[in-house]
């Protein structure tokens, strides 16, 4: 585990610039960064067609955090139920598929809950500190302490174990697509047969990675500590292209509108052509009290790119990197995210009594706040079937 990862774990447990142009990185830093809206952004016109369910940390296989219009709750959803943990803090975004919520604690237990009622469907013991899962095609895949494991999503029974090199708490989350689980383990990207766990192919990266990959159009997009974003064929792992950034790729990889978006440790957001890896634009996050924040979450609905970094949400035009608006007082770390759809954007805040805010994705205007005063939730949101699911020190809860 890297020094950065240790800082993030400890932090979790204890609780605008100019646009980039193709071929260069603009610097959004300034002495006075109080403006929330730049006002020169192209019209808001999302292009991503999201699928139902929340199968991995940032929604679906593309990592866009987008939600179908009919699956979004209102701007101020209220709590329906809470499932409390009796053990250590819950730390990852809930996974919601086919009316079931999958969540684990920071100990040795994983649960499947009925999404409507919060009642337990199954409970199973897992190795200590299980990684966040992905669920698709009736199979749940997660990182254990010494290997990668799969459970039957309906019963919780173990189906297979693989890759004894193992995963860790903050390793990249698995992504499942078309009968294959894609995982970043150690210094390689693996494609595992979802039925048997057998390795279909392996691509060495040279250095470790904690970056959750994205899968689209027969290609796996990944990044890592070796500073490269890679595009690999889902068929055999052969490299289609690679792009070298100036520092480690540490945020997730997202694919939307024919572009690949990634964030590097030096505070730069990169937009690349999904077809050939050529740089479309890049944007350098503005300094905050002298420090350059690192991108923690990068998602896109095809019209905007949303970047959580250093307690602020930066929103850029997907087409050219123009800064549209930004908001302070938000929360971002390895275990938080956002969800966008039907003209609403759900984001985590740093406020104890209203842990989430609903924003207008076109303007950044606050449409509502939600959360509860008697509990603290910081992981999520995951949105599916008209409800938002969050987890944290208290357990997991549903809001609709």
């Amino acid at each position: 585990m890297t020094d950065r990862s240790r800082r993030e774990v400890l932090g979790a447990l204890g609780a605008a610039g100019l646009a980039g142009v193709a071929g260069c990185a603009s610097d959004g830093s300034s002495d006075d960064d109080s403006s929330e809206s730049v006002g020169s952004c192209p019209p808001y016109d999302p292009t991503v067609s999201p699928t139902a369910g929340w199968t991995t940390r940032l929604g679906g296989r593309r990592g866009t955090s987008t939600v179908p219009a009919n699956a979004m709750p209102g701007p101020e959803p209220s709590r329906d139920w809470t499932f409390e943990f009796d053990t250590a803090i819950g730390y990852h975004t809930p996974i919601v598929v086919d009316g079931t919520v999958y969540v684990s604690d920071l100990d040795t237990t994983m649960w499947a809950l009925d999404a409507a009622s919060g009642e337990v469907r199954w409970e199973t013991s897992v190795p200590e500190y299980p990684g966040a899962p992905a669920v698709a095609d009736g199979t749940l895949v997660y990182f254990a302490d010494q290997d990668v494991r799969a459970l039957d999503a309906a019963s919780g029974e173990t189906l297979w174990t693989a890759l004894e090199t193992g995963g860790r708490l903050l390793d990249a989350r698995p992504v499942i697509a078309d009968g294959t689980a894609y995982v970043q383990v150690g210094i390689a990207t693996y494609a595992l047969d979802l039925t048997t766990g057998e390795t279909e192919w392996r691509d060495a990266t040279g250095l470790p990675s904690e970056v959750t990959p994205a899968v689209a159009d027969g290609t796996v997009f990944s990044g890592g500590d070796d500073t490269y974003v890679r595009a690999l064929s889902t068929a055999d792992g052969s490299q289609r292209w690679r792009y070298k950034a100036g520092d480690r790729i540490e945020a997730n990889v997202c694919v939307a509108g024919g572009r690949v978006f990634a964030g590097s440790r030096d505070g730069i957001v990169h937009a690349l052509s999904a077809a050939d890896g050529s740089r479309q634009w890049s944007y350098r996050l503005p300094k905050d009290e002298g420090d350059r924040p690192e991108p923690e979450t990068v998602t896109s609905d095809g019209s905007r790119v949303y970047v959580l970094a250093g307690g602020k949400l930066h929103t850029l035009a997907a087409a050219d990197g123009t800064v549209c608006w930004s908001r302070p007082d938000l929360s971002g770390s390895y275990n938080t995210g956002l969800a966008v759809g039907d003209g609403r954007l759900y984001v985590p805040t740093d406020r104890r009594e209203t842990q989430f805010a609903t924003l207008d994705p076109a303007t950044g205007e606050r449409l509502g706040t939600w959360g509860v005063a008697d509990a603290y939730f910081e992981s999520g949101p995951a949105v599916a079937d008209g409800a938002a699911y969050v987890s944290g020190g208290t357990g997991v809860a549903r809001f609709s």
Side-chain angles (χ1 to χ4, degrees):
M1 185 178 295
T2 65
D3 291 340
R4 173 177 177 266
S5 299
R6 292 189 183 96
R7 292 196 303 270
E8 288 175 335
V9 173
L10 292 174
L13 296 179
L18 302 174
V21 295
C24 65
S26 68
D27 193 331
S29 59
S30 64
D31 292 333
D32 183 7
D33 191 30
S34 59
S35 175
E36 290 189 350
S37 178
V38 174
S40 61
C41 209
Y44 179 64
D45 184 22
T47 61
V48 171
S49 298
T51 57
W54 199 272
T55 64
T56 190
R57 180 199 161 205
L58 294 171
R61 63 178 71 176
R62 294 173 178 260
T64 62
S65 295
T66 54
V67 183
N70 62 2
M72 291 287 285
E76 293 189 318
S78 57
R79 181 171 54 175
D80 299 321
W81 52 257
T82 299
F83 177 78
E84 296 185 358
F85 296 141
D86 294 326
T87 52
I89 185 173
Y91 70 95
H92 69 71
T93 300
I95 302 302
V96 188
V97 179
D98 296 332
T100 303
V101 182
Y102 301 91
V103 67
S104 66
D105 59 12
L106 193 56
D107 200 350
T108 61
T109 308
M110 187 172 292
W111 294 270
L113 310 175
D114 181 270
S117 66
E119 295 181 355
V120 176
R121 289 185 168 173
W122 54 257
E123 174 182 337
T124 189
S125 296
V126 294
E128 192 174 28
Y129 306 146
V135 178
D137 301 330
T139 304
L140 181 153
V141 178
Y142 72 100
F143 288 123
D145 183 52
Q146 297 296 328
D147 47 40
V148 179
R149 300 192 179 197
L151 307 179
D152 183 300
S155 67
E157 295 181 358
T158 298
L159 299 176
W160 49 260
T161 61
L163 302 182
E164 293 183 358
T165 51
R168 294 295 184 269
L169 172 64
L170 296 179
D171 280 355
R173 279 59 166 173
V175 175
I176 299 173
D178 303 320
T180 300
Y182 299 94
V183 296
Q184 189 75 40
V185 177
I187 59 171
T189 303
Y190 291 84
L192 305 179
D193 182 275
L194 191 60
T195 301
T196 65
E198 294 181 357
T199 298
E200 296 177 350
W201 53 258
R202 173 185 182 274
D203 179 72
T205 57
L207 289 174
S209 173
E210 296 174 358
V211 176
T212 298
V215 181
D217 303 322
T219 305
V220 183
F221 302 92
S222 64
D225 286 1
D226 63 358
T227 75
Y228 284 101
V229 178
R230 289 178 169 83
L232 308 174
S233 168
T234 57
D236 57 12
S238 59
Q239 184 171 281
R240 292 182 167 166
W241 55 257
R242 68 176 185 174
Y243 166 86
K244 184 172 177 58
D247 207 337
R248 299 175 180 177
I249 304 297
E250 290 195 334
N252 60 285
V253 178
C254 165
V255 183
R259 297 181 181 88
V260 178
F261 303 102
S264 52
R265 191 177 185 180
D266 53 6
I268 295 179
V269 181
H270 306 266
L272 314 173
S273 166
D276 60 17
S278 59
R279 180 166 56 182
Q280 306 296 293
W281 54 262
S282 55
Y283 173 75
R284 189 185 301 274
L285 297 174
K287 290 184 178 181
D288 183 12
E289 297 182 355
D291 295 325
R292 182 84 61 190
E294 300 174 20
E296 292 145 350
T297 299
V298 180
T299 67
S300 176
D301 57 14
S303 181
R304 301 290 186 262
V305 181
Y306 307 99
V307 184
L308 282 169
K312 180 176 278 190
L313 174 62
H314 304 265
T315 305
L316 315 173
D320 59 12
T322 300
V323 179
C324 300
W325 53 267
S326 63
R327 289 200 66 104
D329 67 42
L330 300 180
S331 173
S333 73
Y334 74 97
N335 62 342
T336 58
L338 51 81
V340 61
D342 198 29
R344 294 186 293 282
L345 173 66
Y346 298 129
V347 293
T349 75
D350 61 1
R351 299 180 181 180
R352 180 78 187 186
E353 295 186 358
T354 54
Q355 297 97 22
F356 295 87
T358 304
L359 308 178
D360 183 333
T363 64
E365 176 187 358
R366 190 184 295 267
L367 303 177
T369 58
W370 48 283
V372 289
D374 62 348
Y376 187 69
F377 301 106
E378 60 179 352
S379 297
V383 177
D385 302 324
Y389 301 84
V390 297
S391 64
T394 304
V396 60
R398 167 186 159 123
F399 291 78
S400 68

